[in-house]
Amino acid sequence: MKLFRADKLVDGTGAAPIENAAILVDGDRIKAVGRAADIGTPEGAEIIDAPAGTTIIPGLVDVHVHLAYSGAVDPNAFRAESSLIHYPAMALRAARYARESLEYGFTSLRDMHAPGGVVIDLRDAINEGRHEGPRIKAPGLGLTVTGGHMDQPGFADFISFRDMNAACDGPDCFRRGVRAQIKRGADFIKLNPCVGSRRDERLYRFEMTVEEISAACDEAHEQGVMVAAHTSGGPPLTAAIKAGCDTVEHAHWIDDPTLEMMVERGTFLVPTLAVNEASSNYIFGQPDPSPRTLHWAKASEEAKWERLTRARRLGVKVAAGSDAGFFLEHGKANGRELELLVQGGYTPLEAIHCATAVGADLMQIEAGRLVEGKLADLILVQGDPTTDIGILRDKARLRVYLGGKPISARLARAA
């Protein structure tokens, strides 16, 4: 057994911090949490006294990342790397990105699409002990219509890609797509029900039909997995929730009745504030962005804050997801999402709750809370993130434990 003692402990539930705290770990599970004086010193326990000023928090959870991608800011570079890197190399790179995320305290990640099943295989390697990394959930390939958000046009006629996405058309095809990804080992299904329009001034439009969304959700739920939906907003977003999507990603434009429906159904919102900031800053920094692109960027920047305020007020379950891998580097950039939640009106304690307990619930893993019986994923933070959330992005301040064991420092030393 291990007994951790520190000046403060945040358990992830949203409750007030415990002062002069202790947490007792037996194997990979938490046995007791509370005041150090109440827990005492169990016979035979290894004592880990954290330095003065340390706060213990649960391991962080980022529910929207893309481990297969580098986070290159230039969209042309992003497209180029997709055509130049082989899947084995992509898997090796994803392993490094996963490890870097772990070093920054992200003990659980939900990947949101990777070509060739590379992140499913990485997940398996971690679960089998062949690689040290965070807990991972992965959907395999995202399901999209032909020419949709994840089946991008613009390549020469003689270029074709294999296993980059799963293009489906029609309800039956989407059912087959769900079955194919589950056969490959998917933990959940990623859909693209709606997107921003490429051709006009609309901020959002249907990509899939309602029948297609419903067929995919019905099949996924019948097989016992959740459905995550890439969304923009408006009626297509509302239709996706009604059809059964369990989580909505991005979701800029959303009205109160839809938010209330999300509360009733238990639908999670993943606002991806960090990637919104990064992509908008890129657009604003271009010398001559197209009027449509500039209009969308300005409108989404305004909408993301207003939507967040109403979601918090109405009690929607908001989970932290950065979209690292797209316009954002893995590791340090993941924590930007917590800073932006605080900027958007959440207290630091609430932001930590979004990035621990809520994220773990979304991923359906027994982590995210420092309470008896949960997995002992935790971070010893030099400082108090409930007063300065930004310190969580300083790797030097963090000592990370996964299942009660400290992560190795080999990559940190090599860097």
Side-chain angles (χ1 to χ4, degrees), residues 201-247:
E201 294 302 308
R202 288 179 294 175
L203 295 171
Y204 43 77
R205 64 173 177 80
F206 273 102
E207 178 171 294
M208 297 169 61
T209 67
V210 173
E211 292 77 16
E212 289 170 331
I213 303 169
S214 296
C217 288
D218 289 348
E219 186 64 34
H221 293 157
E222 180 64 27
Q223 300 209 35
V225 301
M226 295 174 68
V227 178
H230 173 103
T231 61
S232 296
L237 168 60
T238 304
I241 296 169
K242 287 182 177 179
C245 293
D246 302 287
T247 81

Side-chain angles (χ1 to χ4, degrees), residues 251-327:
H252 300 87
W253 295 278
I254 186 166
D255 57 25
D256 279 357
T258 302
L259 288 170
E260 290 166 356
M261 179 170 61
M262 291 176 66
V263 174
E264 293 171 3
R265 291 172 172 244
T267 311
F268 292 87
L269 170 64
V270 185
T272 61
L273 304 167
V275 75
N276 210 133
E277 176 186 63
S279 60
S280 294
N281 286 344
Y282 175 82
I283 293 167
F284 297 150
Q286 297 304 297
D288 189 26
S290 72
R292 187 193 64 78
T293 299
L294 189 61
H295 170 63
W296 201 96
K298 288 179 178 178
S300 69
E301 279 297 306
E302 294 174 1
K304 76 179 186 184
W305 299 119
E306 190 270 340
R307 163 219 50 189
L308 190 67
T309 298
R310 290 185 292 110
R312 179 173 180 265
R313 173 174 52 83
L314 291 171
V316 174
K317 294 188 292 187
V318 173
S322 64
D323 215 346
F326 184 69
F327 278 93

Side-chain angles (χ1 to χ4, degrees), residues 44-100:
E46 175 188 352
I47 308 300
I48 302 172
D49 282 321
T54 296
T55 304
I56 302 176
I57 68 170
L60 298 171
V61 182
D62 191 326
V63 302
H64 193 126
V65 302
H66 292 279
L67 290 169
Y69 303 121
S70 69
V73 174
D74 184 351
N76 290 325
F78 176 80
R79 287 169 67 90
E81 74 172 18
S82 297
S83 61
L84 294 173
I85 186 169
H86 297 289
Y87 289 156
M90 187 178 288
L92 291 170
R93 190 175 68 171
R96 175 64 189 243
Y97 294 153
R99 170 64 203 214
E100 289 174 352

Side-chain angles (χ1 to χ4, degrees), residues 332-353:
K332 187 175 183 179
N334 299 71
R336 180 59 178 159
E337 191 71 14
L338 281 79
E339 294 178 340
L340 291 172
L341 283 168
V342 172
Q343 185 177 328
Y346 283 69
T347 68
L349 194 63
E350 289 172 333
I352 292 171
H353 176 62

